[in-house]
């Protein structure tokens, strides 16, 4: 049997290539990589329904990257999930490729130049396929967007945290929380040690200020939804986003979601209001479809409001430092550059849970090896420049074995080497 007659549209697509997100390395000593997260919109041109069962992603060109085979599952609004996606004849269905964080496709940078998607459908022995160029996402914000929080709002031992993932949000999204180290037995947690987890106030992110990541214009907002009890979801919230803002930052429409009730700044509570980068927007809450206090932030390339779905785009940041949470010192705060913090520029967050420091690092104390290297360097420089310079003088020191002429030549070479550092 031939392949099914399907029209396959894939996002994120910029008109010429499929886009993968550049991820920051989890430490300054690790390589950077890319992440591919796709939304497939599939139109069934067959006379009968089709059932999509598997999608294979194959990469074309160097470097060699093995194929990724993904089982198609759908959630009909409850559990358990259902294997396969049924699309009636003449209709369109949508499926998020790599819907769960542990199914991410991570790529080397640079990545292969093209990709083929093979869609295997029930009763069809041959898959429907589409091939397209693959390119790294650059983003409209040169150097990346500003981080939506500030170090000045953290207390001792706290860090903003997040990671890049494909998840149920069906868009490039971060759930940003605040973590602190609660001791060897509890490790890093989003709440204080021994706290009552039925209270929003127990979570470290609760009531933290949130700021605009760029200049923009408010397109939609809500500030009246109640805060949830942690661990519980409202049955039918007016907005899944809870108290929120949609702000148009150039071509990107950015969602800031789950604000604390009544904390949106008055200046942003009108459609068409202008915002500037770093402007206070509101405070972290737990409203809408949210289990605990955090900021959900994501990017859509769309002009439709409100947008339940839309073309997704990566959300790269700039001028922040990130570090795998497990590599963060629990005794040093604020952080210093002795640890392998990675400077982020126009990159998305790492693929592992990472501490995020949206400010400058302190200058750390150099290790004994570093200090000894500095002493040796200074002694060598002194010998090359000072002693070499003296050897050039008429009555300066010279090697009795080499003689004055050869010593002056060696002195000249020493001075030149010292001047070169």
């Amino acid at each position: 049997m031939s392949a099914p007659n399907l029209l396959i549209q894939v996002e994120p697509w910029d008109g010429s290539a499929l886009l993968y997100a550049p991820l920051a390395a989890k430490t300054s000593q690790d390589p950077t990589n890319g992440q591919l997260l796709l939304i497939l919109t599939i139109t069934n041109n067959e006379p009968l329904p089709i059932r999509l069962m598997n999608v294979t992603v194959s990469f074309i060109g160097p470097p060699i990257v093995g194929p990724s085979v993904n089982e198609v599952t759908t959630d009909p609004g409850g559990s358990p999930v259902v294997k396969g996606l049924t699309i009636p004849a003449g209709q369109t269905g949508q499926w998020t490729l790599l819907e769960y964080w542990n199914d991410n496709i991570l790529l080397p940078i640079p990545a292969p130049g093209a990709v083929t998607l093979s869609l295997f459908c029930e009763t069809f022995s041959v898959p429907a396929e589409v091939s397209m160029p693959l390119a790294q996402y650059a983003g409209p914000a040169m150097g990346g967007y500003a981080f939506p929080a500030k170090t000045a709002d953290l207390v001792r031992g706290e860090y903003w945290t997040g990671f890049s993932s494909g998840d149920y949000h069906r868009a490039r999204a971060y759930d940003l929380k605040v973590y602190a180290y609660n001791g060897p037995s509890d490790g890093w947690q989003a709440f204080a040690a021994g706290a009552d987890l039925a209270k929003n106030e127990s979570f470290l992110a609760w009531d933290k200020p949130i700021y605009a990541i760029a200049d923009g214009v408010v397109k939609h907002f809500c500030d009246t939804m109640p805060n949830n009890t942690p661990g519980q979801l409202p049955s039918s919230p007016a907005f899944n986003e809870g108290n929120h803002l949609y702000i148009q930052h150039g071509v990107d429409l950015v969602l800031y979601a789950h604000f604390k009730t009544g904390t949106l700044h008055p200046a942003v509570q009108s459609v068409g209001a202008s915002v500037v980068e770093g402007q206070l927007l509101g405070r972290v809450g737990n409203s809408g479809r949210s289990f605990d206090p955090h900021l959900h932030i994501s990017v859509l390339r769309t002009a439709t409001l409100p947008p339940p779905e839309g073309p997704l785009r990566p959300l790269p940041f700039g001028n922040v430092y990130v570090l795998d949470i497990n590599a963060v010192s629990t005794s040093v705060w604020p952080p210093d550059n002795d640890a392998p913090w990675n400077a982020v520029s126009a990159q998305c967050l790492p693929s592992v849970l990472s501490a995020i420091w949206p400010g400058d690092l302190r200058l750390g104390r150099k290790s004994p090896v570093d200090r000894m290297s500095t002493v040796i360097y200074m002694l060598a420089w002194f010998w090359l420049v000072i002693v070499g310079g003296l050897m050039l003088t008429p009555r300066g020191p010279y090697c009795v074995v080499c003689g004055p002429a050869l010593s002056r030549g060696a002195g000249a070479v020493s001075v030149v080497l010292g001047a070169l550092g």
Side-chain angles (χ1 to χ4, degrees), residues 33-402:
N33 53 19
Q35 182 187 59
L36 190 60
L37 171 65
L38 307 175
I39 290 181
L40 307 184
T41 301
I42 307 154
T43 301
N44 177 15
N45 293 323
E46 291 286 337
L48 298 173
I50 61 101
R51 188 166 182 81
L52 177 64
M53 303 302 291
N54 289 283
V55 176
T56 298
V57 183
S58 304
F59 297 92
I60 304 169
I64 297 174
V65 175
S68 174
V69 180
N70 308 274
E71 181 181 78
V72 174
T73 58
T74 56
D75 185 349
S79 58
V81 296
V82 177
K83 180 175 173 58
L85 171 65
T86 298
I87 306 175
Q91 296 189 27
T92 297
Q94 191 175 81
W95 184 67
T96 302
L97 184 65
L98 310 174
E99 187 169 347
Y100 301 100
W101 68 269
N102 56 342
D103 287 330
N104 289 345
I105 293 180
L106 295 179
L107 302 170
I109 293 182
V115 62
T116 296
L117 274 63
S118 302
L119 281 63
F120 292 87
C121 298
E122 201 171 59
T123 73
F124 289 86
S125 59
V126 179
E129 291 190 334
V130 59
S131 298
M132 57 198 73
L134 187 63
Q136 180 175 320
Y137 179 73
M142 295 298 294
Y145 285 111
F147 194 72
K150 298 180 180 180
T151 57
D153 300 316
L154 299 172
V155 302
R156 183 174 181 83
E158 292 182 345
Y159 293 92
W160 281 99
T161 64
F163 65 105
S164 288
S165 70
D167 60 17
Y168 63 89
H169 298 299
R170 298 181 180 272
R172 174 68 53 186
Y174 302 127
D175 282 346
L176 301 177
K177 302 182 180 183
V178 175
Y179 273 54
Y181 189 70
N182 286 345
S185 60
D186 295 326
W188 291 94
Q189 301 280 7
F191 42 81
D196 183 354
L197 300 187
K199 295 181 178 179
N200 285 313
E201 294 81 358
S202 298
F203 290 80
L204 304 177
W206 175 257
D207 205 42
K208 295 290 189 190
I210 297 299
Y211 305 91
I213 63 174
D215 296 351
V217 177
V218 175
K219 293 295 185 180
H220 195 267
F221 71 94
C222 175
D223 192 39
T224 58
M225 293 182 62
N227 297 306
N228 301 329
T229 298
Q232 300 180 24
L233 290 178
S235 57
S236 55
F239 295 103
N240 287 338
E241 304 94 324
N243 301 310
H244 66 271
L245 286 162
Y246 281 102
I247 300 180
Q248 193 77 49
H249 296 299
V251 295
D252 283 345
L253 181 66
V254 176
L255 167 64
Y256 304 77
H258 310 310
F259 284 102
K260 181 181 177 183
T261 306
T263 65
L264 287 190
H265 195 280
V268 299
Q269 292 193 48
S270 61
V271 174
S274 296
V275 300
V276 296
E277 181 181 318
Q279 179 179 337
L280 177 65
L281 300 179
R283 292 180 175 271
V284 173
N286 183 23
S287 57
R289 291 191 61 82
S290 170
F291 279 105
D292 53 44
H294 68 280
L295 172 70
H296 169 104
I297 185 169
S298 57
V299 175
L300 296 175
R301 188 64 56 84
T302 180
T304 304
L305 283 165
E309 301 286 353
L312 76 165
R313 289 295 182 270
L315 177 50
F317 291 122
N319 298 321
V320 299
Y321 290 88
V322 296
L323 180 61
D324 183 339
I325 193 73
N326 294 312
V328 174
S329 171
T330 59
S331 60
V332 176
W333 198 94
D336 61 36
N337 60 2
D338 282 346
W341 286 87
N342 183 34
V344 175
S345 178
Q347 294 170 312
C348 298
L349 298 181
S351 59
V352 300
L353 181 65
S354 300
I356 305 164
W357 189 255
D360 295 328
L361 298 174
R362 289 189 308 145
L363 295 178
R365 297 181 60 187
K366 291 185 176 180
S367 68
V369 173
D370 292 331
R371 290 196 294 270
M372 181 61 69
S373 297
T374 300
V375 171
I376 294 173
Y377 173 83
M378 293 303 296
L379 290 174
W381 183 88
F382 176 83
W383 173 264
L384 290 171
V385 175
I386 305 301
V387 177
L390 290 174
M391 292 172 68
L392 292 175
T393 61
R395 297 184 178 182
Y398 64 90
C399 174
V400 295
V401 176
C402 302

